[in-house]
Amino acid sequence: MIRYHQLDSLRGLAALTVVVHHFVFIFTGLLWLDALNYTPLRIFKAGHEAVIFFFVLSGFVLSLPFYSDGKKVNIPHFFIKRLCRIYIPYIVAVGCSILAYLAFYHPGLHSGFSSFFHDVWSTPLSFWLIVDHMILLGSFKDYALDPVLWSLSVELRVSLVFPFIMLFIKRFGWKSNVALGILLSGTALLLNNLAHPANSHPISSNLYFTLHYISFFILGALLAKYRVNLISKVLRLSVPMKYALLLSGLFVYTYAGIGDAVFKRLFSVSGVWLSLTADWGIAVGVCILITSTLSSPRISNLLEKKPVKSLGAISYSLYLYHSVVLFSCVYAFHNLLPMWATLSIAIAASLLASSLSYYYIEKPSIKLGKKWTSGPLRELKEAKEAV
């Protein structure tokens, strides 16, 4: 099976934008930060867009084994590998978040910090809060320990149904699959409106909106299904058209996320449906960017550079730990260091923590998943060699 290493690098760059997003999102009253939303610089702090990028990318990568000729995917092995890859590092990150909360949190920081900053770590630690983070059932206070954990609940839930979704994707064409995705988004919106859950925001562990996010795994899987045809079509384009395609992908990816806010201001409309529609726009931009990347040797070569590849390798850990490190540093160094020094320490500590997690948590977890799914075959091979 082909491994697209440039996609790992893209994941790393997307994770870096989440870091920037959270590092600036803890502040309030900075008008220049709001103004950035309407400039090309917005792409560097496009945090939610990066999460949609992760979902589409996961759909692309997870679907590849299902398209391999002559090789059937072992579903139990798929679940075991996915559990080891995602859940074990997730649980360790939850444990580290609890320890950081107990070590550094103290109430009383108010001036200059946003409601986002005050929401995180403001919920008293309890047994059931920890249980909710472990079992990932239903809607829970996913921001209480680490504000990125909501998306991991989506990843793990979708992993449980992904092999069955692939049955539909492989059997039907792209139109039927896109229609299924739109239906899932509409169903999520309907169920959320009928049930009135405690956490009704789409950027959350809300179980209904998991249906909405499944749509982007489907888009990623479709992109993988038709990748050869798409890449060949892009390669036949003229150079100006290739640049136009790339720029259109960057534009849609960067600005679709604020489309709901613009519509609310211009037309005085409101509703969660606007956010869900914006997510679809972001996903279209992601598909264009992935296709452009896979079709361009120049972009692929840039993404193969060692610093970018290294960032891609630690991207999952960077995503998991940067907020925990950021909040720890802000509480630890408040009134001791200027904010620029605190943020500098937080960035360096985030990269260090991510590297340690990658080498000592992620890689062993991946190896464990491979061991659990290939142990009997290895033992049989060794027995034959002994004979």
Side-chain angles (χ1 to χ4, degrees), residues 1-11 57 60-61 64 224 227-228 231 290 294 300 304:
M1 185 184 72
I2 299 175
R3 181 175 178 86
Y4 297 96
H5 294 284
Q6 58 268 55
L7 298 185
D8 293 332
S9 298
L10 282 179
R11 185 186 288 109
L57 207 54
F60 184 100
V61 174
L64 290 175
R227 66 191 185 280
V228 175
I231 291 171
I290 291 176
L294 296 180
S300 296
E304 290 285 343

Side-chain angles (χ1 to χ4, degrees), residues 284-300:
V284 170
V286 172
C287 291
I288 295 173
L289 290 177
I290 291 176
T291 304
S292 296
T293 298
L294 296 180
S295 306
S296 171
R298 182 174 296 179
I299 297 176
S300 296

Side-chain angles (χ1 to χ4, degrees), residues 11-46:
R11 185 186 288 109
L13 294 174
L16 192 59
T17 64
V18 178
V19 174
V20 174
H21 172 75
H22 285 144
F23 271 57
V24 300
F25 202 40
I26 65 172
F27 301 108
T28 188
L30 301 177
L31 295 179
W32 64 271
L33 280 178
D34 293 332
L36 285 182
N37 284 329
Y38 304 97
T39 73
L41 294 177
R42 185 180 190 278
I43 194 171
F44 296 109
K45 59 184 282 289

